[in-house]
């Protein structure tokens, strides 16, 4: 057993070892699936059922290019049917890059003496958040290294600082966090600061690989990280995000393990994770990992489509680590959130000359450096509906993802209209004339052609936004 209840103070039920490498590898050893079986599995997902490990392995083990096309097509159909055309936008904000760990893939690792270390003070937070608001952002994820300085009180304090900032018509309405595992008490403190999702990526679910790439520091404890989000649940922080860093071990194994992690939350807490992230390793200062398991573009696209089919109800986050052409392709397979205008340099948003990447002042290299404005323009041109909606979280409709799909008409009544209202705000306050014109055309076209339950009320609210009212939602 890789962890024990006493050690990590979690209720016994959660401690059943839910990641069993042998079990996962056995599923993956199964024979090549028949065409009929692959189609059956895709159909099960299209009927909006979560797939089992065995069924997911069927998709993973599919190598026939025609069937892979069907898997991708299935993911596209599922996305259209379940999620529609909304894409939620956010930006990452690095609060501090001090770190005591030695993750071999990360520019912030303690032994990387080239990294310029920095923790934003209050004034610097205000400057960064103002710059983000001036670009049009409403949702941020704050990112921290793992360091005694970044305890729960510090994290909570920085979250509160971010919420206080108001630049022009701007405000941040949802702050998510990606930081180290905390104690139950610690999670409670951070929850009280009003965060949305707490993200912790397991990086790799393969214990031996994990040990190899995390040779020192708190993070070297595989079990502690694995049950960290169980502690979050104990602290009643039920809005959590999981993820794996693709490229450390076999992608097939990691996809299965992510699904196993989802199953675990559903079985023990009756609610799955809010989001899944699937970052691929990018270049970083002092990167020290074997490229044996690096994931090709082809496999990456396939794995995203499989994840979509495997967990139809979990939000999927795709970041600027990927280049624009991959982002555009993968968006069609059911990604629900992307970052835009991303700059991961410390103080990068407010510094005018920070557009050129410098790996000694950031965690890794990003591949998509488009501004938020450019991304929104492209999303509109390709018939997506950019959204900054934060309504559910603020109205206490928690488990919002669960609601979207379980409450009949939820998307038509809430998500679609709220996406349009937040896009209208963006068009009024931040867009150039061309985007504004095209954005409104897209909104009205969608209102005319789509099945929206509260059309009249929505039109009234949009008119109010055009007349200067803000923060209207259903
Ligand atoms: N220090 C916290 C931790 O490790 O949990 C915060 C996480 S880190 C700032 C955010 C995530 O970036 C990590 O969990 C890891 O998956 C990812 N990451 C680290 N190095 C990376 C690299 N070279 N390329 C892509 N993603 C990377
Ligand atoms: Fe530190 Fe996180 Fe980077 Fe590891 S991934 S070195 S814990 S910042």
């Amino acid at each position: 057993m890789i962890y024990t209840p006493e050690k990590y103070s979690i209720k016994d039920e959660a401690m059943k070892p839910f990641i069993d490498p042998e079990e996962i590898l056995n599923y993956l050893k199964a024979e090549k699936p028949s065409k009929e079986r692959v189609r059956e599995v895709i159909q099960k997902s299209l009927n909006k059922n979560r797939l089992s490990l065995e069924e997911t392995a069927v998709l993973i083990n599919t190598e026939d290019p025609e069937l892979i096309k069907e898997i991708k097509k299935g993911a596209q159909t599922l996305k259209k049917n379940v999620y529609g055309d909304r894409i939620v936008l956010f930006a990452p904000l690095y609060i501090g890059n001090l770190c005591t760990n030695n993750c071999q893939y990360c520019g912030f690792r303690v032994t990387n003496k080239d990294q310029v270390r920095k923790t934003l003070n209050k004034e610097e937070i205000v400057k960064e958040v103002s710059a983000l608001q001036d670009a049009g952002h409403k949702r941020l994820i704050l990112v921290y290294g793992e360091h005694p300085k970044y305890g729960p009180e510090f994290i909570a304090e920085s979250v509160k600082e971010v919420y206080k900032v108001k630049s022009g018509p701007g405000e941040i309405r949802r702050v998510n966090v990606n930081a180290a595992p905390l104690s139950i008490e610690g999670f409670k403190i951070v929850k009280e600061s009003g965060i949305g999702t707490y993200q912790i990526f397991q990086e790799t679910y393969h214990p031996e690989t994990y040990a190899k790439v995390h040779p020192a520091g708190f993070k070297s404890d595989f079990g502690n990280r694995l049950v960290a989000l169980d502690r979050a649940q104990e602290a009643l922080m039920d809005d959590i995000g999981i993820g794996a860093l693709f490229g450390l071990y076999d992608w097939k194994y990691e996809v299965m393990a992510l699904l196993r992690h989802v199953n675990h939350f559903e079985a023990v807490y009756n609610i799955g994770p809010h989001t899944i992230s699937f970052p691929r390793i990018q270049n970083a200062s002092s990167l020290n990992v074997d490229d044996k398991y690096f994931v090709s573009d082809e496999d990456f696209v396939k794995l995203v489509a499989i994840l979509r089919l495997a967990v139809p109800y979990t939000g999927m986050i795709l970041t600027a680590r990927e280049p624009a052409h991959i982002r555009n392709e993968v968006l069609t397979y059911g990604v629900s959130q992307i970052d835009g205008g991303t700059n991961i340099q410390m103080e990068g948003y407010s510094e005018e000359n920070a557009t050129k990447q410098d790996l000694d002042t950031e965690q890794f290299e990003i591949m998509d450096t488009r501004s938020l404005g450019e991304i929104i323009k492209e999303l509109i041109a390709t018939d997506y509906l950019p959204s900054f909606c934060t309504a559910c979280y603020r109205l206490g409709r928690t488990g919002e993802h669960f609601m979207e799909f379980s409450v009949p008409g939820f998307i038509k009544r809430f998500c679609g209209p709220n996406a349009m209202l937040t896009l209208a705000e963006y068009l009024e306050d931040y867009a150039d004339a061309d985007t504004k014109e095209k954005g409104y055309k897209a909104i009205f076209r969608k209102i005319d052609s789509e099945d929206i339950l509260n059309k009249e009320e929505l039109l009234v609210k949009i008119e109010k936004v055009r007349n200067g009212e803000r923060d209207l939602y259903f």
Side-chain angles (χ1 to χ4, degrees):
M1 184 143 145
I2 39 191
Y3 37 80
T4 56
E6 298 74 33
K7 191 167 170 198
Y8 302 121
S9 63
I10 299 292
K11 68 178 178 190
D12 288 2
E13 179 58 21
M15 293 310 302
K16 287 185 187 149
F18 59 88
I19 294 292
D20 177 354
E22 221 171 294
E23 181 197 27
I24 293 177
L25 291 168
N26 274 338
Y27 278 120
L28 290 173
K29 268 189 217 143
E31 279 178 26
K32 238 174 61 200
S34 68
K35 259 192 186 133
E36 292 67 38
R37 182 71 185 124
V38 175
R39 288 181 180 148
E40 224 173 71
V41 172
I42 297 174
Q43 194 49 51
K44 180 175 172 193
S45 172
L46 287 176
N47 295 338
K48 300 176 191 165
N49 296 306
R50 191 165 54 59
L51 301 182
S52 67
L53 285 169
E54 185 269 324
E55 290 157 344
T56 304
V58 165
L59 300 184
I60 290 176
N61 286 332
T62 300
E63 273 163 17
D64 174 348
E66 282 312 307
L67 287 175
I68 293 177
K69 263 193 207 153
E70 290 184 33
I71 290 174
K72 292 186 193 167
K73 185 98 199 44
Q76 277 170 335
T77 309
L78 186 76
K79 180 196 154 94
K80 269 207 195 92
N81 294 348
V82 175
Y83 288 82
D85 48 12
R86 287 166 305 122
I87 298 288
V88 171
L89 289 150
F90 71 95
L93 172 60
Y94 280 69
I95 299 291
N97 67 359
L98 302 182
C99 194
T100 50
N101 288 322
N102 196 11
C103 312
Q104 299 294 295
Y105 44 81
C106 178
F108 293 167
R109 67 194 173 101
V110 65
T111 54
N112 181 9
K113 300 298 174 212
D114 293 334
Q115 185 70 217
V116 182
R117 304 288 165 172
K118 170 89 198 156
T119 304
L120 301 187
N121 62 30
K122 282 186 186 169
E123 291 71 41
E124 288 159 345
I125 290 182
V126 174
K127 266 172 85 181
E128 289 292 281
V129 176
S130 300
L132 283 157
Q133 289 179 1
D134 296 345
H137 280 291
K138 298 281 185 278
R139 305 170 63 113
L140 300 183
I141 179 150
L142 306 189
V143 186
Y144 308 75
E146 182 161 359
H147 191 272
K149 190 166 175 173
Y150 308 147
E153 290 80 7
F154 176 90
I155 295 176
E157 216 31 61
S158 49
V159 170
K160 288 183 203 156
E161 285 305 318
V162 169
Y163 279 129
K164 275 193 231 155
V165 180
K166 305 268 182 258
S167 175
E171 62 179 345
I172 298 302
R173 298 176 183 158
R174 178 173 172 126
V175 175
N176 299 327
V177 165
N178 185 324
L182 302 175
S183 65
I184 295 176
E185 264 323 296
F187 279 119
K188 283 185 186 158
I189 292 168
V190 174
K191 183 182 161 67
E192 273 162 26
S193 68
I195 69 157
T197 311
Y198 200 104
Q199 283 186 350
I200 297 178
F201 304 159
Q202 185 62 24
E203 318 298 10
T204 171
Y205 288 88
H206 187 252
E208 283 152 40
T209 307
Y210 189 94
K212 209 163 104 193
V213 296
H214 301 107
F218 287 113
K219 196 165 165 180
S220 58
D221 187 337
F222 177 89
N224 181 46
R225 195 157 178 98
L226 192 60
V227 297
L229 290 169
D230 292 273
R231 286 200 296 273
Q233 300 279 348
E234 300 277 305
L236 301 181
M237 186 189 274
D238 56 5
D239 197 336
I240 48 133
I242 63 170
L245 180 58
F246 281 86
L248 294 175
Y249 187 61
D250 187 357
W251 67 265
K252 299 178 177 181
Y253 176 94
E254 305 291 10
V255 168
M256 295 286 283
L258 281 168
L259 176 62
R260 187 68 193 81
H261 207 166
V262 173
N263 291 350
H264 165 75
F265 285 116
E266 286 183 353
V268 182
Y269 307 104
N270 215 11
I271 179 160
H274 189 76
T275 54
I276 294 193
S277 298
F278 34 89
R280 259 198 302 186
I281 292 184
Q282 298 297 331
N283 194 19
S285 129
S286 90
L287 179 75
N288 182 32
V289 290
D290 198 335
D291 61 6
K292 179 169 172 204
Y293 292 112
F294 280 11
V295 181
S296 67
D297 287 353
E298 200 184 322
D299 284 341
F300 184 70
V301 169
K302 179 178 165 189
L303 83 82
V304 176
I306 292 173
L307 269 175
R308 174 68 300 144
L309 290 172
V311 286
Y313 294 136
T314 309
M316 287 173 50
I317 301 182
L318 177 71
T319 68
R321 291 174 179 87
E322 297 300 330
H325 72 278
I326 295 281
R327 297 237 279 179
N328 291 342
E329 179 173 4
V330 165
L331 264 190
T332 68
Y333 302 136
V335 165
S336 45
Q337 291 188 31
I338 60 170
D339 51 348
T342 298
N343 188 322
I344 62 172
Q345 278 183 55
M346 301 304 304
E347 294 187 274
Y349 292 109
S350 58
E351 267 182 23
E352 271 169 26
N353 55 0
T355 43
K356 204 168 164 292
Q357 294 186 56
D358 169 5
L359 291 185
D360 290 337
T361 62
E362 55 199 305
Q363 194 185 12
F364 48 78
E365 189 174 358
I366 57 167
M367 292 294 150
D368 185 355
T369 52
R370 287 173 298 169
S371 67
L372 179 63
E374 285 169 317
I375 289 187
I376 289 194
K377 204 184 266 281
E378 279 191 49
L379 287 174
I380 292 170
T382 42
D383 210 26
Y384 286 104
L385 182 57
S387 172
F388 295 91
C389 178
T390 53
C392 282
Y393 147 78
R394 289 155 80 221
L395 286 171
R397 291 195 297 238
T398 52
E400 74 194 66
H401 233 75
F402 173 73
M403 293 224 202
E404 283 176 35
F405 310 116
S406 58
V407 179
F410 193 91
I411 291 183
K412 289 176 191 154
R413 184 177 293 279
F414 298 109
C415 310
N418 286 340
M420 294 182 203
L421 285 166
T422 53
L423 176 59
E425 281 189 347
Y426 174 85
L427 297 176
E428 289 299 323
D429 294 337
Y430 305 104
D432 60 37
D434 179 54
T435 304
K436 187 169 175 179
E437 189 195 325
K438 290 180 177 147
Y440 273 121
K441 268 195 192 143
I443 290 176
F444 291 121
R445 195 175 58 240
K446 285 177 198 294
I447 294 179
D448 276 346
S449 63
E450 285 174 18
D451 183 14
I452 289 169
L453 294 179
N454 34 5
K455 236 176 229 188
E456 297 307 313
E457 256 183 287
L458 173 60
L459 286 168
V460 171
K461 279 193 164 49
I462 286 185
E463 207 38 47
K464 285 184 177 171
V465 171
R466 296 183 100 166
N467 288 324
E469 279 190 54
R470 293 290 171 268
D471 206 13
L472 304 176
Y473 49 85
F474 291 95

